[in-house]
Amino acid sequence: MQVPQLDLKREYELIKDQLLKKAEEVLASGRYILGPHVEELEKKIAEYTGTRHAKGVASGSDALLLSMMAIGLKRGEGVITTPFTFFATASAAYRVGGIPVFADIDEKTFNISPDSILNILEKGEVQEDGTRIKHHTGYIKIRAIVPVHLFGQAAEMDKITEIARKYNLKVIEDAAQSIGAEFGGKKVGTFGNLGIYSFFPTKNLGTAGDGGMVVTNDEKLDYLIKILRVHGAEKKYFHTYVGVNSRLDELHAAFLLVKLNYLDKWSNEREKRAQRYISLFKEAGLLEQIQLPYVHPKSTRHVWNQFVIRAKKRDGLKNYLKEKGIGTNIYYPLGLHLQKCFVDLGYKEGDFPVTEKATREVLALPMHPFLTEDEQSYVVEKIKEFYHAL
Ligand SMILES: *Cc1c(COP(=O)(O)O)cnc(C)c1O
């Protein structure tokens, strides 16, 4: 049996007619960038998440970059984030001359640990627009926290927003993997000053290419995103800022409008499959060899972008499953503090032991709304086979 980690073709088959109809409509309209479909999608995403404003941009990575520009992050200023995430979370600050300051993750949720954030800020000097700290690179002013809602589960936003308030920091939520997830009944992306989503194909709301969105309740920040995405032009050819070219295409917005109608249904399907994995692993008696995902009690809605286990002999297991036709992925194999491009940040192995342990143990199993019971049973059976043969 072949069980890919993600199978986008099944989803396509289901909504093919609607997507093709939309594609025709857009192509015939002659309007391809930032048109009526983008505006409608912005309105719908704002409604869906419960924010006042939303702006479509070219990708989740750009949504982060534009957010850093919108809060006015300056050269040499710091942004606290997690080293256990996709690269873009940290590179956004770096791209504008900022300094990613990493805080280790929580062992159970894989999300940034509020205690690690506090450790960085505790001895700092609180200022009007941030907190000045002594860092191994020298004295720097921390301006913002960027929590990531990893794998579909909300970070601890109650503690994080409280810390941000106390230390005068902005909060930019990276909800690229978690649109629709909730913490204490409130949707992720709506706790901070700005929230970002990605429409990359593997995300829960994905298009046939790249796309992203920035949401906020702050009118000024929304306005800045709106003009920064068109090269900082308030009026065409009159540039107030040096922005970037980062616009959402009409085709993508049109596809996303179709798929938004299915988002909650499909997230619920993911939840069912997560619960099914959990029972299958328990029945198989595999809890010595693998550790199941942990759901935080305040994570009132997990949207399961990934189903990530910790596994003994992870790499051997991954290879074994590959031989048996089962696709898996390692999110993430190397902490961002150890990336070659960030050597100048001065981190070394051992700085973030919880992250480093996770990079050696995690394995993302097949997960998508169309995964069948047979496929899930096959995955668990093969995992059992691997450990029994040891
Ligand atoms: C996917 C992702 C991004 C970037 O989104 P793109 O649309 O691929 O640029 C940022 N952060 C996290 C956590 C992601 O998973």
Side-chain angles (χ1 to χ4, degrees), residues 59-62 64 85-86 88-89 148 150 174 176-177 196 198-200 203 210-211 332:
S59 68
S61 301
D62 275 4
L64 285 160
T85 176
F86 179 62
T89 311
V148 178
L150 204 68
D174 182 342
Q177 299 180 5
I196 75 97
S198 162
F199 304 132
F200 184 73
K203 315 291 169 153
D210 277 310
Y332 294 92

Side-chain angles (χ1 to χ4, degrees), residues 139-183:
Y139 282 93
I140 58 173
K141 178 150 66 181
I142 303 291
R143 289 283 313 283
I145 305 175
V146 184
V148 178
H149 307 295
L150 204 68
F151 303 147
Q153 169 159 243
E156 291 179 72
M157 291 315 294
D158 50 352
K159 292 183 185 162
I160 292 168
T161 45
E162 194 188 308
I163 294 168
R165 211 171 301 129
K166 184 168 169 199
Y167 292 95
N168 287 342
L169 307 176
K170 298 270 193 271
V171 174
I172 297 162
E173 294 174 70
D174 182 342
Q177 299 180 5
S178 298
I179 189 164
E182 293 175 11
F183 183 84

Side-chain angles (χ1 to χ4, degrees), residues 8-135:
L8 293 170
K9 281 176 269 178
R10 294 186 210 178
E11 178 189 292
Y12 175 64
E13 283 306 321
L14 196 78
I15 55 171
K16 187 175 175 174
D17 296 345
Q18 293 180 72
L19 293 176
L20 292 178
K21 193 162 152 269
K22 282 283 183 192
E24 248 190 325
E25 188 186 308
V26 170
L27 291 173
S29 78
R31 180 87 193 258
Y32 301 139
I33 293 173
L34 293 184
H37 292 91
V38 172
E39 270 173 39
E40 191 186 341
L41 181 70
E42 291 172 346
K43 214 173 124 238
K44 292 230 163 112
I45 294 282
E47 264 167 34
Y48 177 78
T49 56
T51 47
R52 285 220 284 278
H53 311 282
K55 288 292 169 284
V57 298
S59 68
S61 301
D62 275 4
L64 285 160
L65 177 66
L66 289 163
S67 296
M68 296 301 155
M69 296 170 83
I71 66 161
L73 187 75
K74 290 192 225 36
R75 186 160 291 278
E77 291 182 335
V79 168
I80 295 178
T81 193
T82 160
F84 193 62
T85 176
F86 179 62
F87 181 65
T89 311
S91 66
Y94 195 89
R95 286 270 308 274
V96 297
I99 301 172
V101 174
F102 295 114
D104 212 347
I105 55 170
D106 176 76
E107 173 114 44
K108 283 150 90 183
T109 63
F110 301 115
N111 280 322
I112 195 166
S113 146
D115 286 336
S116 316
I117 301 176
L118 274 177
N119 276 341
I120 294 169
L121 294 164
E122 240 158 27
K123 292 198 196 84
E125 177 200 331
V126 181
Q127 300 179 339
E128 218 171 285
D129 59 345
T131 291
R132 194 164 174 271
I133 61 153
K134 188 169 186 277
H135 187 238

